[in-house]
């Protein structure tokens, strides 16, 4: 049996350290929908925002479908349904690529899958999916973190070869708590201090503690970026692809306007999950898909045709 | 004895209401340092940002003096020293225009006093002063509020004839929790629901509850502004003047960069405080000056000359 090497140890020491990334950022740059400039931007910054990748009528369909799923889940008591720390409002519903016909189709849609395949240089599958709803006035902040740190330590994702795809369903302004990203932070790995508690996911989805990067590392990363922190603002229908190790967070939403999106994590079919590096039990399937993994066969469905399914 | 008419009742009913403002916004528009466009912007939006009103060397002097005051107050247990809800970090020190020679001079400095006099159409005095330090990573959000609502109900300020002056000592970015303002909101008065607890100031400076506007009114105000919420971003040395009734708030500061400023509230000498409209005891002097009020005689001191006083 092959020995498992932990390229990215974290939560194993009392102090945090920063190390260089050991994996490529872009696995295949020529083939695919993104042009050279877009790929270069993603490689340099750890993300790329594609303005209005979906049209207004398509966004309307997605928003209606999202509302429908929120309504269906309002009274559902399930780990897959995440509520705000201080209220009964739903923040996220997970596993929509399995539980809902429309979002299953969307998760396979060629317009996004082909980009994930291009960046990851292979066929891909969904590691995690969710729809997010950050309500006006009440949406709480989420502190800086690298998704990969958690996916590696708690889920056993071996390499940095995954990309998150966020389809923005409401206009994202500077003032309604947009995702903030530290450009270039994906080139470094912050090994966090501390250890992973049992069943950490039950609290970390509301407010993360273990796996939270230290202030010194965050300041260092920001200084590497020339003091710049970017915000994923843009009109509804835009799509943000961000690398699994890009440091990101978001402020509270003090505005009256909700911020909702559909969120798919594409992982390379060659980067499937192993046993968690924490030595703990794996997190549940809805957070980290392991069952019956097969590569996505992209579909070219018309999104607009789903307009009437939920009305 | 003259009967006291409450033009702006609030915290007297179970539900919130919005009424029109009953006072002028600009009391004198011709005389003073602001040009017509700046006055018109202030009148329309409820604030005006004056870029780099103070030069770099002056900002450096102010920042050093602010650090000095913070250090002097680190261990001081006083109502005038406000700490973060979750930590021992100082957020604000009040009464700096009385307790500190440098900030006393600054509070009388012609460069800002003349602007306050122009907007308020009279001589002015300081109703409240403080220096604010919003630390990187830890600075918490402050929800929407109109200062006038509190100053009226809890301090007995009769009319809307005061202006806040915030001298920005650190670059304010979109991402370090800048002040957010709803343009035009000063033209309306949100009468808040609920009542004022005794000694409300002891908790409200950390997190306000009574006098917090309701979501419906806030959404209405934002819609009046065409869905726009502005942020007071700008380089260090810029000065924001905002009308006492302009709805404002701020997000947490998730960035590594602190956000500090010097804050003076200028009130018209003709708008001195009465008994609080809440019927409660007046708040302490450091929050609402009543003792020995005299109009400011503006000074033209060189700020740079204070460079060595604290080194």
């Amino acid at each position: 049996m092959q020995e498992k090497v932990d390229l990215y140890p974290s939560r194993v020491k009392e102090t945090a350290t920063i190390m260089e990334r050991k994996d490529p950022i872009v696995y295949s740059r020529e083939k695919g929908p993104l042009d050279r400039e877009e790929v270069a931007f993603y490689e340099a910054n750890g993300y790329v925002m594609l303005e209005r990748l979906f049209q207004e009528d398509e966004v309307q369909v997605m928003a209606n479908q999202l509302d429908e799923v929120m309504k269906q889940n309002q009274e559902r008591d399930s780990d897959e349904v995440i509520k705000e720390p201080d209220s009964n409002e739903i923040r996220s519903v997970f596993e929509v690529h399995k539980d809902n016909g429309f979002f299953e189709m969307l998760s396979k849609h060629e317009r996004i899958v082909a980009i994930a395949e291009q960046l990851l240089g292979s066929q891909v599958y969904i590691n995690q999916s969710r729809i997010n709803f950050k309500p006006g006035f009440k949406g709480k902040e989420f502190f800086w973190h690298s998704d990969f740190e958690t996916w590696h330590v708690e889920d056993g994702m071996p390499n940095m070869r995954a990309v998150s795809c966020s389809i923005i369903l409401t206009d994202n302004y500077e003032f309604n708590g947009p995702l903030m990203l530290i450009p270039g932070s994906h080139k470094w790995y912050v090994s966090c201090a501390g250890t992973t508690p049992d069943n950490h996911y039950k609290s970390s989805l509301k407010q993360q503690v273990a796996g939270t990067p230290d202030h010194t590392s965050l300041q260092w990363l920001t200084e590497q970026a020339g003091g710049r922190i970017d915000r994923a603002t843009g009109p509804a229908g835009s799509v943000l692809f961000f690398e699994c190790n890009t440091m990101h967070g978001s402020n509270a939403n003090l505005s009256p306007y909700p911020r909702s999106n559909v969120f798919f994590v594409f992982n390379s079919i060659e980067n499937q999950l192993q046993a968690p590096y924490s030595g703990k039990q794996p997190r549940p399937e809805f957070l980290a898909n392991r069952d019956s993994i097969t590569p996505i066969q992209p579909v070219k469905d018309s999104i607009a045709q789903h307009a009437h399914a939920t009305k």
Side-chain angles (χ1 to χ4, degrees), chain A:
Chain A
M1 197 172 151
Q2 209 182 338
E3 200 190 342
K4 197 174 77 172
V5 178
D6 185 351
L7 287 177
Y8 300 107
S10 183
R11 311 187 204 174
V12 290
K13 291 184 186 164
E14 281 181 26
T15 53
T17 49
I18 297 190
M19 62 181 83
E20 281 193 55
R21 179 192 180 102
K22 295 178 171 61
D23 292 308
I25 298 163
V26 175
Y27 285 76
S28 140
R29 65 195 67 202
E30 297 303 335
K31 251 175 44 189
L34 298 184
D35 63 27
R36 277 170 182 275
E37 286 69 29
E38 289 165 331
V39 172
F41 187 93
Y42 175 88
E43 184 155 35
N45 293 282
Y47 54 90
V48 63
M49 179 71 124
L50 307 170
E51 278 227 351
R52 298 184 208 273
L53 192 65
F54 292 97
Q55 306 308 309
E56 238 171 80
D57 58 335
E58 296 174 319
V59 170
Q60 194 51 56
V61 171
M62 293 187 223
N64 290 345
Q65 296 276 1
L66 181 141
D67 283 348
E68 198 62 29
V69 175
M70 290 286 175
K71 267 184 224 152
Q72 285 160 5
N73 284 279
Q74 187 60 55
E75 303 304 327
R76 185 171 157 231
D77 185 20
S78 161
D79 282 349
E80 293 179 14
V81 179
I82 310 296
K83 298 193 171 172
E84 290 290 333
D86 302 339
S87 72
N88 199 38
E89 297 222 33
I90 294 184
R91 185 160 76 188
S92 308
V93 179
F94 281 80
E95 289 283 70
V96 291
H97 72 297
K98 290 181 182 172
D99 295 347
N100 177 285
F102 174 78
F103 288 109
E104 182 181 351
M105 177 281 290
L106 190 60
S107 75
K108 299 177 180 174
H109 203 281
E110 191 192 37
R111 216 179 303 164
I112 52 177
V113 172
I115 294 171
E117 290 175 338
Q118 179 181 14
L119 294 171
L120 303 179
S122 68
Q123 287 190 295
V124 300
Y125 71 98
I126 298 283
N127 182 58
Q128 184 192 100
S129 76
R130 60 180 195 262
I131 54 176
N132 292 309
F133 185 81
K134 194 168 192 169
F137 299 121
K138 290 185 195 167
K140 293 290 171 210
E141 74 180 56
F142 218 94
F143 196 70
W144 299 108
H145 62 285
S146 149
D147 288 332
F148 179 77
E149 195 274 346
T150 292
W151 297 344
H152 182 71
V153 173
E154 299 194 25
D155 299 336
M157 183 183 281
N159 292 95
M160 294 179 183
R161 196 173 179 181
V163 63
S164 291
C165 165
S166 174
I167 305 174
I168 291 166
L169 299 189
T170 47
D171 293 349
N172 275 11
Y173 305 101
E174 293 285 2
F175 54 76
N176 64 346
L179 200 74
M180 300 194 289
L181 312 106
I182 303 180
S185 56
H186 61 304
K187 296 175 191 165
W188 309 90
Y189 181 68
V190 179
S191 174
C192 300
T195 54
T196 309
D198 288 330
N199 290 318
H200 181 230
Y201 76 93
K202 291 196 178 179
S203 59
S204 69
L205 294 176
K206 295 200 177 193
Q207 194 167 11
Q208 190 173 359
V209 179
T212 298
D214 61 299
H215 293 177
T216 308
S217 300
L218 286 169
Q219 176 143 11
W220 187 87
L221 288 172
T222 310
E223 278 159 16
Q224 295 292 312
R228 196 160 55 95
I229 293 176
D230 273 4
R231 287 84 53 208
T233 55
S238 301
V239 178
L240 176 75
F241 280 88
F242 64 104
E243 211 277 336
C244 58
N245 187 46
T246 304
M247 200 61 80
H248 63 286
S250 63
N251 244 320
N253 181 6
L254 292 189
S255 88
Y257 305 115
R259 199 166 69 78
S260 61
N261 60 61
V262 185
F263 192 85
F264 297 122
V265 178
F266 292 105
N267 193 19
S268 166
I269 197 73
E270 296 166 22
N271 192 38
Q272 291 183 47
L273 305 186
Q274 313 291 321
Y277 292 84
S278 63
K280 302 270 176 183
Q281 286 296 307
R283 299 197 299 171
E285 178 73 13
F286 77 90
L287 289 171
N289 285 186
R290 298 170 182 276
D291 294 351
S292 322
I293 301 300
T294 52
I296 293 174
Q297 304 301 325
V299 299
K300 290 192 185 193
D301 253 43
S302 150
I303 291 164
Q305 82 179 9
H306 295 264
H308 301 294
T310 59
K311 278 189 175 170

